[in-house]
Amino acid sequence: MTDNAIRSILIVGGGTAGWMTANLLATRLRRLPVQITLVESPDIRTVGVGEATVPAIRDYFRAIGVNEFDVMRATHGTVKLGIEFRDWSRPGTNFFHPFGRYGVDAFSVPFHQFWLKRRIAGDDTPLSAYCLATEAAMRNLVVLPPEQPANDLGVFDWAIHFDAGLFARFLSQRAREELGVAHVEGTIAGVHRGGDDGRIASVTLTGGDTLEADLFIDCSGFRSLLLGQALEVPYDDWTHLLPCDRAVAVPCTHGDALTPYTRSTALSAGWQWRIPLQHRVGNGYVYSSRHISDDEATATLLSRLEGEQLAEPNMLRFRTGHRTRVWEKNCVAIGLAAGFLEPLESTSITLIQSGVERLLAHFPDRDFEPSLADEFNRITSLEYARIRDFLLLHYWGNRRHGEPMWDACRALELPETLASRVRAFAGGGKLPRYEWDSFQPPSWLSMYAGLDILPPRHDPLADQLSAEELGASFAKMREAIGRATALGIPHDEFIAEHCAMQTDIARSAQPAPVSII
């Protein structure tokens, strides 16, 4: 290492963000003489981020050298093949957002263009019939993707649900015992900036101890202790676009099936999540305080629990958006300290993961070359905006007429980045891809089809196949999906065989804190 190399990193805050950051940094930097320290207060309650995930979480497991089934055993995890959306288009409707593709493309024409052609001709077979992940999930079956799929029907992925508190505990133990991360318990009383450049020099704990570092990672949650408070980086608020600003969460016992998917049910002033874990069900009502009171929201959620209530309701207030600069001077914020987006598509952990990966891709020395921070911040802003647009489509595309919050969402003026996407699909079924899209074309297609935002025409190139040829091809696809689905294993049996929870952890587990999925 050069004399100017980073030799010490201080992570401020534990929880999911802090310990995910510690594990990945310690793994990637293990051949360098860099001391990583994490300081967290035992007196400050953490927000349990990310009980539901997206498939990228398994990339994280591989990156830090752990097996997904070991994580699931330690965290009471279950399989997630996607998200079921109930009542979003209108009451009584439902659709599924899978982690997979639809059908098989032909002649370089996307499958959905052929599906549109048949639909316009009168075939009302839903798009979901051509997705293996959806068909398996709706039958409570687990089918894992082959390593080398024979065709596009086998291209899908899976994620997991887990207990966020147990996940942080699992990562904490590994970081401290296997990766050499130093752990300090203490409450930060002050943040000190030094020199003419105004960088953070140290933090002081309530007992008087001082912790110095070259690089500071702010994982202090919504408080954004370093980036927001000490460095005074402003917050770009998106509440005018994404209406929900509060959540109430309550775990309960199982009363329904152990489904291999998350469920999101639209309610009058927001939506309810259901996340099935091995030992309990996570429930929450994410809502707009302008359209329902806290007491009403809590009563609504409690009335909809499928089993026995396991803890008192936890309340959370939030603002969607992000810090205008997530890397400022010698401080990088990760997780809620950087920003927060509607938990509708389980992106909280993805943003933690991508933030740490991005830091490693732009890792500085003690000069903190400004161009590194500039590019980091440019990409981060794009990533947040792309996710924001995808989430906004859920709200804007609703057909829940006569309900003030939902009526207001339909009347929103969309950001041009989203408006252009909607025009492209509604006009001709086109699914453009932009830089730093977190959600790929099949995800957008799921939402357009589920919300009935469909073009009146198909791509003329889809006419390369006749109606008879398409009929035969589509029938073969459905038959192949049926055969593959028949090989699926009931979710509860799959869990029992591969990753049943550890009984010692099960006995010691406490009710989870507020969880942002």
CSV table of all heavy atoms in Angstrom, one decimal, residues 275-326:
chain,number,residue,atom,x,y,z
A,275,ILE,N,-45.4,-11.2,4.8
A,275,ILE,CA,-44.2,-11.9,4.6
A,275,ILE,C,-44.1,-13.2,5.5
A,275,ILE,O,-44.1,-13.1,6.7
A,275,ILE,CB,-43.0,-11.0,4.9
A,275,ILE,CG1,-43.0,-9.8,4.0
A,275,ILE,CG2,-41.7,-11.8,4.7
A,275,ILE,CD1,-41.9,-8.8,4.3
A,276,PRO,N,-44.2,-14.3,4.9
A,276,PRO,CA,-44.3,-15.6,5.7
A,276,PRO,C,-42.8,-16.1,6.0
A,276,PRO,O,-42.0,-16.3,5.1
A,276,PRO,CB,-45.0,-16.6,4.7
A,276,PRO,CG,-44.6,-16.1,3.3
A,276,PRO,CD,-44.4,-14.6,3.4
A,277,LEU,N,-42.5,-16.1,7.3
A,277,LEU,CA,-41.3,-16.7,7.7
A,277,LEU,C,-41.6,-18.1,8.4
A,277,LEU,O,-42.8,-18.4,8.5
A,277,LEU,CB,-40.6,-15.8,8.8
A,277,LEU,CG,-40.3,-14.4,8.3
A,277,LEU,CD1,-39.7,-13.6,9.4
A,277,LEU,CD2,-39.4,-14.4,7.1
A,278,GLN,N,-40.6,-18.8,8.7
A,278,GLN,CA,-40.8,-20.1,9.3
A,278,GLN,C,-41.5,-20.1,10.6
A,278,GLN,O,-42.4,-20.9,11.0
A,278,GLN,CB,-39.5,-20.9,9.5
A,278,GLN,CG,-38.8,-21.2,8.1
A,278,GLN,CD,-37.6,-22.1,8.3
A,278,GLN,OE1,-37.5,-23.0,9.2
A,278,GLN,NE2,-36.5,-21.7,7.6
A,279,HIS,N,-41.2,-19.0,11.4
A,279,HIS,CA,-41.7,-19.0,12.8
A,279,HIS,C,-42.8,-18.0,13.0
A,279,HIS,O,-43.4,-17.9,14.1
A,279,HIS,CB,-40.6,-18.7,13.8
A,279,HIS,CG,-39.9,-17.3,13.5
A,279,HIS,ND1,-39.5,-16.9,12.3
A,279,HIS,CD2,-39.7,-16.3,14.4
A,279,HIS,CE1,-39.0,-15.7,12.4
A,279,HIS,NE2,-39.1,-15.3,13.6
A,280,ARG,N,-43.1,-17.1,12.0
A,280,ARG,CA,-44.2,-16.1,12.2
A,280,ARG,C,-44.5,-15.5,10.8
A,280,ARG,O,-43.8,-15.9,9.8
A,280,ARG,CB,-43.7,-15.0,13.1
A,280,ARG,CG,-42.5,-14.3,12.6
A,280,ARG,CD,-42.2,-13.0,13.5
A,280,ARG,NE,-40.9,-12.4,13.2
A,280,ARG,CZ,-40.7,-11.5,12.2
A,280,ARG,NH1,-41.7,-11.2,11.4
A,280,ARG,NH2,-39.5,-11.0,12.1
A,281,VAL,N,-45.5,-14.7,10.8
A,281,VAL,CA,-45.8,-13.9,9.6
A,281,VAL,C,-45.6,-12.4,9.9
A,281,VAL,O,-46.1,-11.9,10.9
A,281,VAL,CB,-47.3,-14.1,9.1
A,281,VAL,CG1,-47.6,-13.3,7.9
A,281,VAL,CG2,-47.5,-15.6,8.8
A,282,GLY,N,-44.8,-11.8,9.0
A,282,GLY,CA,-44.7,-10.3,9.1
A,282,GLY,C,-45.8,-9.6,8.4
A,282,GLY,O,-46.1,-9.9,7.3
A,283,ASN,N,-46.4,-8.6,9.1
A,283,ASN,CA,-47.5,-7.9,8.5
A,283,ASN,C,-47.3,-6.4,8.7
A,283,ASN,O,-46.7,-6.0,9.8
A,283,ASN,CB,-48.8,-8.2,9.2
A,283,ASN,CG,-49.1,-9.7,9.3
A,283,ASN,OD1,-49.6,-10.3,8.3
A,283,ASN,ND2,-48.8,-10.3,10.4
A,284,GLY,N,-47.7,-5.6,7.8
A,284,GLY,CA,-47.5,-4.1,8.0
A,284,GLY,C,-48.5,-3.4,7.1
A,284,GLY,O,-48.9,-3.9,6.0
A,285,TYR,N,-48.8,-2.2,7.5
A,285,TYR,CA,-49.7,-1.3,6.7
A,285,TYR,C,-48.9,-0.1,6.4
A,285,TYR,O,-48.5,0.7,7.3
A,285,TYR,CB,-51.0,-1.0,7.5
A,285,TYR,CG,-52.0,-0.2,6.7
A,285,TYR,CD1,-51.9,0.2,5.4
A,285,TYR,CD2,-53.2,0.2,7.3
A,285,TYR,CE1,-52.8,0.9,4.7
A,285,TYR,CE2,-54.2,0.9,6.7
A,285,TYR,CZ,-54.0,1.2,5.4
A,285,TYR,OH,-55.0,1.9,4.7
A,286,VAL,N,-48.5,0.1,5.1
A,286,VAL,CA,-47.8,1.3,4.7
A,286,VAL,C,-48.8,2.3,4.2
A,286,VAL,O,-49.6,1.9,3.3
A,286,VAL,CB,-46.8,1.0,3.6
A,286,VAL,CG1,-46.1,2.2,3.1
A,286,VAL,CG2,-45.8,-0.1,4.1
A,287,TYR,N,-48.9,3.5,4.7
A,287,TYR,CA,-50.1,4.3,4.4
A,287,TYR,C,-49.7,5.8,4.4
A,287,TYR,O,-48.6,6.2,4.8
A,287,TYR,CB,-51.1,4.1,5.5
A,287,TYR,CG,-50.7,4.4,6.9
A,287,TYR,CD1,-51.0,5.7,7.5
A,287,TYR,CD2,-50.1,3.5,7.7
A,287,TYR,CE1,-50.6,6.0,8.8
A,287,TYR,CE2,-49.7,3.8,9.0
A,287,TYR,CZ,-50.0,5.0,9.6
A,287,TYR,OH,-49.7,5.3,10.9
A,288,SER,N,-50.6,6.6,3.9
A,288,SER,CA,-50.5,8.0,3.8
A,288,SER,C,-51.2,8.6,5.0
A,288,SER,O,-52.4,8.5,5.1
A,288,SER,CB,-51.2,8.5,2.5
A,288,SER,OG,-51.4,9.9,2.5
A,289,SER,N,-50.5,9.4,5.8
A,289,SER,CA,-51.1,10.0,7.0
A,289,SER,C,-52.1,11.1,6.6
A,289,SER,O,-52.8,11.6,7.5
A,289,SER,CB,-50.0,10.6,7.9
A,289,SER,OG,-49.2,11.6,7.2
A,290,ARG,N,-52.0,11.5,5.4
A,290,ARG,CA,-53.0,12.5,4.9
A,290,ARG,C,-54.4,11.9,4.7
A,290,ARG,O,-55.4,12.7,4.5
A,290,ARG,CB,-52.5,13.2,3.6
A,290,ARG,CG,-51.2,14.0,3.8
A,290,ARG,CD,-50.8,14.7,2.5
A,290,ARG,NE,-50.4,13.7,1.5
A,290,ARG,CZ,-49.2,13.1,1.5
A,290,ARG,NH1,-48.3,13.3,2.4
A,290,ARG,NH2,-48.9,12.2,0.5
A,291,HIS,N,-54.4,10.6,4.6
A,291,HIS,CA,-55.7,10.0,4.3
A,291,HIS,C,-56.2,9.0,5.3
A,291,HIS,O,-57.3,8.5,5.2
A,291,HIS,CB,-55.5,9.2,2.9
A,291,HIS,CG,-55.2,10.1,1.8
A,291,HIS,ND1,-53.9,10.4,1.4
A,291,HIS,CD2,-56.0,10.9,1.0
A,291,HIS,CE1,-53.9,11.3,0.4
A,291,HIS,NE2,-55.2,11.6,0.1
A,292,ILE,N,-55.4,8.8,6.4
A,292,ILE,CA,-55.9,7.9,7.4
A,292,ILE,C,-55.1,8.2,8.7
A,292,ILE,O,-53.9,8.6,8.6
A,292,ILE,CB,-55.8,6.4,7.1
A,292,ILE,CG1,-56.5,5.5,8.0
A,292,ILE,CG2,-54.3,6.0,6.9
A,292,ILE,CD1,-56.5,4.0,7.6
A,293,SER,N,-55.7,8.1,9.8
A,293,SER,CA,-54.9,8.4,11.1
A,293,SER,C,-54.1,7.2,11.5
A,293,SER,O,-54.4,6.1,11.1
A,293,SER,CB,-55.9,8.8,12.2
A,293,SER,OG,-56.7,7.6,12.6
A,294,ASP,N,-53.2,7.4,12.4
A,294,ASP,CA,-52.4,6.3,12.9
A,294,ASP,C,-53.2,5.3,13.6
A,294,ASP,O,-53.1,4.0,13.4
A,294,ASP,CB,-51.3,6.8,13.9
A,294,ASP,CG,-50.3,7.7,13.2
A,294,ASP,OD1,-50.2,7.7,12.0
A,294,ASP,OD2,-49.6,8.4,14.0
A,295,ASP,N,-54.2,5.7,14.4
A,295,ASP,CA,-55.1,4.8,15.1
A,295,ASP,C,-55.9,4.0,14.2
A,295,ASP,O,-56.1,2.7,14.3
A,295,ASP,CB,-56.0,5.5,16.1
A,295,ASP,CG,-55.2,6.1,17.3
A,295,ASP,OD1,-54.1,5.6,17.5
A,295,ASP,OD2,-55.8,7.0,18.0
A,296,GLU,N,-56.4,4.6,13.1
A,296,GLU,CA,-57.2,3.9,12.1
A,296,GLU,C,-56.4,2.9,11.4
A,296,GLU,O,-56.9,1.8,11.1
A,296,GLU,CB,-57.9,4.9,11.2
A,296,GLU,CG,-59.0,5.8,11.8
A,296,GLU,CD,-59.5,6.8,10.8
A,296,GLU,OE1,-58.6,7.5,10.2
A,296,GLU,OE2,-60.7,6.9,10.5
A,297,ALA,N,-55.2,3.3,11.0
A,297,ALA,CA,-54.3,2.4,10.3
A,297,ALA,C,-54.0,1.2,11.1
A,297,ALA,O,-54.0,0.0,10.6
A,297,ALA,CB,-53.0,3.1,9.9
A,298,THR,N,-53.7,1.4,12.4
A,298,THR,CA,-53.4,0.3,13.3
A,298,THR,C,-54.5,-0.7,13.5
A,298,THR,O,-54.4,-1.9,13.4
A,298,THR,CB,-52.9,0.8,14.7
A,298,THR,OG1,-51.8,1.7,14.5
A,298,THR,CG2,-52.6,-0.3,15.6
A,299,ALA,N,-55.7,-0.1,13.7
A,299,ALA,CA,-56.9,-0.9,13.8
A,299,ALA,C,-57.2,-1.7,12.6
A,299,ALA,O,-57.6,-2.9,12.6
A,299,ALA,CB,-58.1,0.0,14.2
A,300,THR,N,-57.0,-1.1,11.4
A,300,THR,CA,-57.2,-1.8,10.2
A,300,THR,C,-56.2,-3.0,10.0
A,300,THR,O,-56.7,-4.1,9.7
A,300,THR,CB,-57.0,-0.9,9.0
A,300,THR,OG1,-57.9,0.2,9.0
A,300,THR,CG2,-57.1,-1.6,7.6
A,301,LEU,N,-55.0,-2.8,10.4
A,301,LEU,CA,-54.0,-3.9,10.3
A,301,LEU,C,-54.3,-5.0,11.2
A,301,LEU,O,-54.3,-6.2,10.9
A,301,LEU,CB,-52.6,-3.4,10.5
A,301,LEU,CG,-51.5,-4.4,10.5
A,301,LEU,CD1,-51.4,-5.1,9.1
A,301,LEU,CD2,-50.1,-3.8,10.9
A,302,LEU,N,-54.7,-4.7,12.5
A,302,LEU,CA,-55.0,-5.7,13.5
A,302,LEU,C,-56.2,-6.5,13.1
A,302,LEU,O,-56.3,-7.7,13.4
A,302,LEU,CB,-55.1,-5.0,14.9
A,302,LEU,CG,-53.9,-4.4,15.5
A,302,LEU,CD1,-54.2,-3.7,16.8
A,302,LEU,CD2,-52.8,-5.4,15.6
A,303,SER,N,-57.1,-5.9,12.5
A,303,SER,CA,-58.3,-6.6,12.1
A,303,SER,C,-58.1,-7.6,10.9
A,303,SER,O,-58.9,-8.4,10.6
A,303,SER,CB,-59.4,-5.6,11.6
A,303,SER,OG,-59.1,-5.0,10.4
A,304,ARG,N,-56.9,-7.4,10.3
A,304,ARG,CA,-56.7,-8.3,9.1
A,304,ARG,C,-55.6,-9.3,9.3
A,304,ARG,O,-55.1,-10.0,8.4
A,304,ARG,CB,-56.2,-7.3,7.9
A,304,ARG,CG,-57.3,-6.4,7.4
A,304,ARG,CD,-56.8,-5.4,6.4
A,304,ARG,NE,-56.2,-6.1,5.3
A,304,ARG,CZ,-56.8,-6.6,4.2
A,304,ARG,NH1,-58.1,-6.4,4.1
A,304,ARG,NH2,-56.2,-7.2,3.2
A,305,LEU,N,-55.2,-9.5,10.6
A,305,LEU,CA,-54.1,-10.5,10.9
A,305,LEU,C,-54.7,-11.9,10.7
A,305,LEU,O,-55.9,-12.2,11.1
A,305,LEU,CB,-53.6,-10.3,12.3
A,305,LEU,CG,-52.9,-9.0,12.7
A,305,LEU,CD1,-52.4,-9.1,14.1
A,305,LEU,CD2,-51.8,-8.8,11.7
A,306,GLU,N,-53.9,-12.8,10.2
A,306,GLU,CA,-54.4,-14.2,9.9
A,306,GLU,C,-54.3,-15.1,11.1
A,306,GLU,O,-54.8,-16.2,11.1
A,306,GLU,CB,-53.6,-14.8,8.7
A,306,GLU,CG,-52.1,-15.0,9.0
A,306,GLU,CD,-51.4,-15.4,7.8
A,306,GLU,OE1,-51.3,-14.6,6.8
A,306,GLU,OE2,-50.9,-16.6,7.8
A,307,GLY,N,-53.5,-14.6,12.1
A,307,GLY,CA,-53.2,-15.5,13.3
A,307,GLY,C,-53.1,-14.6,14.5
A,307,GLY,O,-53.5,-13.4,14.5
A,308,GLU,N,-52.6,-15.2,15.6
A,308,GLU,CA,-52.5,-14.5,16.9
A,308,GLU,C,-51.4,-13.5,16.8
A,308,GLU,O,-50.3,-13.7,16.4
A,308,GLU,CB,-52.2,-15.6,18.0
A,308,GLU,CG,-52.0,-15.0,19.3
A,308,GLU,CD,-51.5,-16.0,20.3
A,308,GLU,OE1,-51.5,-17.2,20.0
A,308,GLU,OE2,-51.2,-15.6,21.5
A,309,GLN,N,-51.8,-12.3,17.3
A,309,GLN,CA,-50.8,-11.2,17.4
A,309,GLN,C,-49.7,-11.5,18.3
A,309,GLN,O,-49.9,-12.0,19.4
A,309,GLN,CB,-51.5,-9.9,17.9
A,309,GLN,CG,-50.7,-8.7,18.0
A,309,GLN,CD,-51.5,-7.5,18.5
A,309,GLN,OE1,-52.7,-7.4,18.3
A,309,GLN,NE2,-50.8,-6.5,19.0
A,310,LEU,N,-48.4,-11.3,17.9
A,310,LEU,CA,-47.2,-11.7,18.7
A,310,LEU,C,-46.5,-10.5,19.4
A,310,LEU,O,-45.6,-10.8,20.2
A,310,LEU,CB,-46.3,-12.4,17.8
A,310,LEU,CG,-46.7,-13.8,17.2
A,310,LEU,CD1,-45.7,-14.4,16.3
A,310,LEU,CD2,-47.0,-14.8,18.4
A,311,ALA,N,-46.9,-9.3,19.0
A,311,ALA,CA,-46.2,-8.2,19.6
A,311,ALA,C,-47.0,-6.9,19.5
A,311,ALA,O,-48.0,-6.9,18.8
A,311,ALA,CB,-44.8,-7.9,19.0
A,312,GLU,N,-46.7,-5.9,20.2
A,312,GLU,CA,-47.4,-4.6,20.1
A,312,GLU,C,-47.1,-4.0,18.8
A,312,GLU,O,-46.0,-4.2,18.2
A,312,GLU,CB,-47.0,-3.7,21.2
A,312,GLU,CG,-47.6,-4.2,22.6
A,312,GLU,CD,-49.1,-4.3,22.6
A,312,GLU,OE1,-49.8,-3.3,22.2
A,312,GLU,OE2,-49.6,-5.4,23.0
A,313,PRO,N,-48.0,-3.2,18.2
A,313,PRO,CA,-47.7,-2.5,16.9
A,313,PRO,C,-46.5,-1.6,17.0
A,313,PRO,O,-46.3,-0.9,18.0
A,313,PRO,CB,-49.0,-1.8,16.7
A,313,PRO,CG,-50.0,-2.5,17.5
A,313,PRO,CD,-49.4,-3.0,18.7
A,314,ASN,N,-45.7,-1.6,16.0
A,314,ASN,CA,-44.6,-0.7,15.9
A,314,ASN,C,-44.9,0.3,14.8
A,314,ASN,O,-45.3,0.0,13.7
A,314,ASN,CB,-43.3,-1.5,15.5
A,314,ASN,CG,-42.6,-2.1,16.7
A,314,ASN,OD1,-42.4,-1.5,17.7
A,314,ASN,ND2,-42.3,-3.4,16.5
A,315,MET,N,-44.6,1.6,15.2
A,315,MET,CA,-44.9,2.7,14.2
A,315,MET,C,-43.6,3.3,13.7
A,315,MET,O,-42.6,3.3,14.3
A,315,MET,CB,-45.7,3.8,15.0
A,315,MET,CG,-47.0,3.4,15.6
A,315,MET,SD,-48.2,2.9,14.5
A,315,MET,CE,-48.5,4.4,13.5
A,316,LEU,N,-43.7,3.7,12.4
A,316,LEU,CA,-42.6,4.3,11.8
A,316,LEU,C,-43.0,5.4,10.9
A,316,LEU,O,-44.0,5.3,10.1
A,316,LEU,CB,-41.9,3.2,10.9
A,316,LEU,CG,-40.6,3.6,10.1
A,316,LEU,CD1,-39.5,3.9,11.1
A,316,LEU,CD2,-40.2,2.6,9.1
A,317,ARG,N,-42.3,6.5,10.9
A,317,ARG,CA,-42.5,7.7,10.0
A,317,ARG,C,-41.3,7.8,9.1
A,317,ARG,O,-40.2,7.6,9.5
A,317,ARG,CB,-42.7,9.0,10.8
A,317,ARG,CG,-43.9,8.9,11.8
A,317,ARG,CD,-44.1,10.3,12.5
A,317,ARG,NE,-45.2,10.3,13.4
A,317,ARG,CZ,-45.7,11.3,13.9
A,317,ARG,NH1,-45.2,12.5,13.6
A,317,ARG,NH2,-46.7,11.2,14.8
A,318,PHE,N,-41.6,8.1,7.9
A,318,PHE,CA,-40.5,8.2,6.9
A,318,PHE,C,-40.8,9.2,5.8
A,318,PHE,O,-42.0,9.7,5.6
A,318,PHE,CB,-40.2,6.9,6.3
A,318,PHE,CG,-41.4,6.2,5.6
A,318,PHE,CD1,-41.7,6.5,4.3
A,318,PHE,CD2,-42.1,5.2,6.3
A,318,PHE,CE1,-42.8,5.9,3.7
A,318,PHE,CE2,-43.2,4.6,5.7
A,318,PHE,CZ,-43.5,4.9,4.4
A,319,ARG,N,-39.8,9.6,5.1
A,319,ARG,CA,-39.9,10.5,3.9
A,319,ARG,C,-39.2,9.8,2.8
A,319,ARG,O,-38.0,9.4,2.9
A,319,ARG,CB,-39.2,11.9,4.1
A,319,ARG,CG,-40.0,12.8,5.0
A,319,ARG,CD,-39.3,14.2,4.9
A,319,ARG,NE,-37.9,14.2,5.3
A,319,ARG,CZ,-37.0,15.1,4.9
A,319,ARG,NH1,-37.4,16.0,4.0
A,319,ARG,NH2,-35.8,15.0,5.3
A,320,THR,N,-39.9,9.5,1.7
A,320,THR,CA,-39.2,8.9,0.6
A,320,THR,C,-38.3,10.0,-0.1
A,320,THR,O,-38.6,11.1,-0.2
A,320,THR,CB,-40.3,8.4,-0.5
A,320,THR,OG1,-41.2,9.5,-0.8
A,320,THR,CG2,-41.0,7.2,0.1
A,321,GLY,N,-37.2,9.5,-0.6
A,321,GLY,CA,-36.2,10.3,-1.3
A,321,GLY,C,-34.8,9.9,-0.9
A,321,GLY,O,-34.6,8.8,-0.5
A,322,HIS,N,-33.9,10.8,-1.1
A,322,HIS,CA,-32.5,10.5,-0.8
A,322,HIS,C,-31.7,11.8,-0.6
A,322,HIS,O,-32.1,12.8,-1.1
A,322,HIS,CB,-31.8,9.6,-1.9
A,322,HIS,CG,-31.7,10.3,-3.2
A,322,HIS,ND1,-30.6,11.0,-3.6
A,322,HIS,CD2,-32.5,10.4,-4.3
A,322,HIS,CE1,-30.7,11.5,-4.8
A,322,HIS,NE2,-31.9,11.2,-5.3
A,323,ARG,N,-30.5,11.6,0.0
A,323,ARG,CA,-29.6,12.7,0.2
A,323,ARG,C,-29.1,13.1,-1.2
A,323,ARG,O,-28.8,12.3,-2.1
A,323,ARG,CB,-28.4,12.3,1.1
A,323,ARG,CG,-28.8,12.0,2.5
A,323,ARG,CD,-29.2,13.2,3.3
A,323,ARG,NE,-29.9,12.8,4.5
A,323,ARG,CZ,-30.4,13.7,5.4
A,323,ARG,NH1,-30.3,15.0,5.2
A,323,ARG,NH2,-31.1,13.3,6.5
A,324,THR,N,-29.0,14.4,-1.4
A,324,THR,CA,-28.6,14.9,-2.7
A,324,THR,C,-27.2,14.4,-3.1
A,324,THR,O,-26.8,14.3,-4.3
A,324,THR,CB,-28.6,16.4,-2.8
A,324,THR,OG1,-27.8,17.0,-1.7
A,324,THR,CG2,-30.1,16.9,-2.7
A,325,ARG,N,-26.4,14.2,-2.1
A,325,ARG,CA,-25.0,13.6,-2.3
A,325,ARG,C,-24.9,12.5,-1.2
A,325,ARG,O,-25.0,12.8,0.0
A,325,ARG,CB,-23.9,14.6,-2.2
A,325,ARG,CG,-24.0,15.7,-3.2
A,325,ARG,CD,-22.9,16.8,-3.1
A,325,ARG,NE,-22.8,17.4,-1.7
A,325,ARG,CZ,-23.6,18.3,-1.3
A,325,ARG,NH1,-24.5,18.8,-2.1
A,325,ARG,NH2,-23.5,18.9,-0.1
A,326,VAL,N,-24.7,11.3,-1.6
A,326,VAL,CA,-24.5,10.2,-0.7
A,326,VAL,C,-23.1,10.0,-0.3
A,326,VAL,O,-22.8,9.4,0.7
A,326,VAL,CB,-25.2,8.9,-1.3
A,326,VAL,CG1,-25.0,7.7,-0.4
A,326,VAL,CG2,-26.7,9.2,-1.6
